[in-house]
Structure formats: C-alpha cells, structure tokens
Amino acid sequence: MDFFWIGLLFWLLMGFSVFFLMLGLMKNRRIHFVFSALLFLPVAYYFRGAENAWKFMMFYPLIPILLAIFFVKKR
C-alpha cells in the first residue's frame, strides 16, 4: 500500500486553514483570516472539479475573507 503525499498535503492545508480561522476569530486580526483563505485555495481549486455536493467546498475561502471584512472593520 502506497502513501499518498498529496492527501497528507491537503489534510495539512485544511488543518492549518481551520487553525488560522480559529486564531483569527480569537484575536480579531485580519492577517489570520487571509492566511486561512490562502492556505485553503489549492484544496478549493481541486474540489472545483467535483460533480457532486463537494463542489461547494470551493466557496470556503470566501468565509474567512468575509469575516476579515466584517469583524475587523468594527475597530
């Protein structure tokens, strides 16, 4: 059985993306939201080609960007 490096990379990108999203929510820093969106972009691009409900994962990077706009704008 082979080890799938691309799968490990995708899981790491998703994990770090969620980590930076939570960090951005706790500290209200715009840069953390942007890192979260940028880290998830390759995964979102991959799921763009899906032909089922997984296709909607390509819209996840919009969530941190919108949070960066609305939460941090209050300062």
Side-chain angles (χ1 to χ4, degrees), residues 25-71:
L25 287 172
M26 290 184 338
K27 294 189 176 191
N28 280 343
R29 302 250 350 242
R30 182 175 296 173
I31 193 73
H32 297 301
F33 291 122
V34 173
F35 279 158
S36 175
L38 287 177
L39 285 172
F40 200 79
L41 276 179
V43 179
Y45 182 73
Y46 174 78
F47 280 111
R48 184 179 66 119
E51 294 182 7
N52 50 16
W54 287 101
K55 181 180 266 192
F56 295 112
M57 282 194 61
M58 71 178 184
F59 295 117
Y60 171 78
L62 292 177
I63 295 169
I65 296 297
L66 291 175
L67 286 173
I69 292 169
F70 291 122
F71 275 163

